[in-house]
C-alpha cells in the first residue's frame, strides 16, 4: 500500500466515524455542513503549499466538541478527537496538529482577534467561514436561530460588541444581529488566497439579503 493509499484509507475511516457521530441535524451543523467544509478545505488547500491530509482530517473533525453542540455548552475537543482517531496509526504530532486547529477554528466574538493558526488550519477556518456566508450561510443562520427559539429580527435590539468568548456565547439576540456581529465581518478575516476570492461573492449575497430584508420589514420594497 502506498503512503497516499494509506492516507485515503484513514480519511475514509474518520469520515465514516464522523458520519456516525453527527446525524442530520436542524442547526446547520450536521454532517452536510461538515462535508461541505471538507470539500471546500481541500479545494482551498490545492492553492496553498500545506499538508492536505491534515487539512482533510481537521475539516472532518472541526465541529467535534463545539460549544454550540455540546449539552454543557463547554468545549471538549481533545478527548473526543483522540477517540475518533483511535487506531488510525496517526502520530502524536499529527493528532496534536489536528487538535490545535479544532481548538482555534471557531469565531470567538467580533471584538476578539482570531488565534494564529497553522497553514493547514487557515484552510479549514476559511472553509468553515465560507459555509457561514452566501446562500447557505443565510439558511444556516435562520436554522440555528429557529432551533434556539430566537426571533428573526427585532428593530429594538441593536448589534453588540463582544470582547470575550464568554460574552459572545451568552448572546441570545435575534438572527439579523448575527449578520452584523459575525457573518458580515468574515470576508475581512479570510487568510488564504482562495478563501479571500470566494468570500467576495458570498459577502455580496449577505449584504444584498440584509438590505432587502430590512426594506421588506418596513414595507418599503
Ligand atoms: P464557528 O465555529 O465559527 O462558530 P460553525 O460552523 O461551528 O462556525 O457555526 C457557525 C454557524 O452557526 C453560523 O455561521 C450560523 O449559521 C450559526 N450560528 C451561530 N450563532 C448564531 C446566532 N447567534 N444566530 C444565528 N446563527 C448562529
Ligand atoms: Ni463548522
Amino acid at each position: 500500500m502506498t503512503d497516499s493509499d494509506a492516507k485515503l484509507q484513514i480519511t475514509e475511516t474518520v469520515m465514516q466515524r464522523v458520519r456516525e457521530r453527527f446525524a442530520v441535524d436542524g442547526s446547520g451543523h450536521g454532517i452536510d455542513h461538515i462535508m461541505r467544509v471538507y470539500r471546500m478545505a481541500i479545494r482551498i488547500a490545492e492553492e496553498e503549499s500545506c499538508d492536505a491530509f491534515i487539512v482533510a482530517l481537521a475539516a472532518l473533525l472541526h465541529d467535534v466538541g463545539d460549544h454550540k453542540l455540546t449539552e454543557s455548552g463547554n468545549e471538549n475537543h481533545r478527548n473526543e478527537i483522540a477517540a475518533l482517531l483511535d487506531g488510525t496509526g496517526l502520530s502524536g504530532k499529527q493528532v496534536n496538529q489536528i487538535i490545535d486547529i479544532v481548538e482555534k477554528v471557531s469565531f470567538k466574538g467580533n471584538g476578539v482577534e482570531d488565534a494564529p493558526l497553522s497553514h493547514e488550519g487557515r484552510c479549514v477556518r476559511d472553509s468553515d467561514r465560507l459555509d457561514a456566508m452566501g446562500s447557505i450561510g443565510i439558511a444556516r443562520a435562520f436554522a440555528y436561530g429557529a432551533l434556539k427559539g430566537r426571533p428573526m429580527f427585532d428593530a429594538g435590539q441593536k448589534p453588540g460588541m463582544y470582547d470575550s468568548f464568554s460574552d459572545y456565547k451568552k448572546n441570545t439576540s435575534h438572527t439579523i444581529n448575527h449578520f452584523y456581529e459575525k457573518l458580515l465581518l468574515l470576508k475581512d478575516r479570510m487568510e488564504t488566497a482562495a478563501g479571500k476570492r470566494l468570500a467576495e461573492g458570498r459577502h455580496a449575497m449577505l449584504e444584498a439579503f440584509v438590505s432587502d430584508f430590512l426594506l421588506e420589514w418596513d414595507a418599503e420594497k
Side-chain angles (χ1 to χ4, degrees):
M1 192 158 53
T2 67
D3 188 40
S4 71
D5 284 343
K7 285 179 175 171
L8 202 62
Q9 211 171 65
I10 294 172
T11 306
E12 274 169 16
T13 300
V14 173
M15 193 183 292
Q16 190 49 39
R17 291 178 184 176
V18 169
R19 275 187 198 284
E20 285 160 18
R21 158 80 173 63
F22 287 84
V24 174
D25 85 335
S27 78
H29 289 89
I31 188 68
D32 61 313
H33 163 67
I34 291 167
M35 292 307 294
R36 285 192 301 275
V37 172
Y38 166 74
R39 286 190 293 270
M40 180 59 84
I42 290 172
R43 181 176 162 191
I44 292 173
E46 278 167 9
E47 288 181 36
E48 308 283 325
S49 46
C50 62
D51 184 342
F53 179 53
I54 295 294
V55 171
L57 293 179
L60 288 171
L61 294 165
H62 84 272
D63 264 343
V64 171
D66 189 300
H67 73 98
K68 293 187 288 310
L69 314 174
T70 55
E71 287 197 2
S72 63
N74 292 323
E75 314 232 331
N76 178 24
H77 311 97
R78 188 165 284 273
N79 295 344
E80 258 207 281
I81 290 173
L84 289 164
L85 292 172
D86 189 41
T88 55
L90 254 64
S91 68
K93 182 175 168 225
Q94 288 172 311
V95 174
N96 283 333
Q97 273 179 288
I98 293 168
I99 290 173
D100 185 63
I101 295 172
V102 177
E103 280 177 344
K104 294 180 182 161
V105 77
S106 269
F107 184 85
K108 306 251 191 294
N110 45 3
V112 183
E113 259 184 55
D114 291 321
L117 264 179
S118 62
H119 208 155
E120 291 74 19
R122 295 203 287 270
C123 298
V124 177
R125 187 155 65 189
D126 280 8
S127 173
D128 191 29
R129 291 180 172 181
L130 285 170
D131 207 54
M133 304 172 72
S135 310
I136 295 215
I138 295 167
R140 291 180 69 219
F142 287 97
Y144 184 91
L147 189 80
K148 300 280 174 180
R150 313 254 172 93
M152 293 196 294
F153 179 56
D154 173 352
Q157 256 183 341
K158 300 296 174 206
M161 177 55 94
Y162 301 96
D163 293 327
S164 73
F165 188 34
S166 60
D167 281 354
Y168 177 68
K169 276 198 288 189
K170 279 186 229 140
N171 169 19
T172 55
S173 178
H174 60 83
T175 301
I176 290 293
N177 268 353
H178 189 62
F179 285 71
Y180 292 107
E181 292 166 359
K182 173 182 176 187
L183 307 184
L184 290 164
L185 309 177
L186 296 176
K187 176 174 78 74
D188 292 334
R189 292 199 185 203
M190 291 285 154
E191 293 182 298
T192 63
K196 286 180 186 171
R197 206 171 55 238
L198 291 163
E200 292 292 334
R202 294 191 186 210
H203 181 80
M205 166 66 100
L206 294 178
E207 280 194 320
F209 168 78
V210 174
S211 141
D212 270 20
F213 183 102
L214 296 174
L215 289 173
E216 291 169 19
W217 191 269
D218 288 329
E220 286 174 19
K221 186 168 176 176

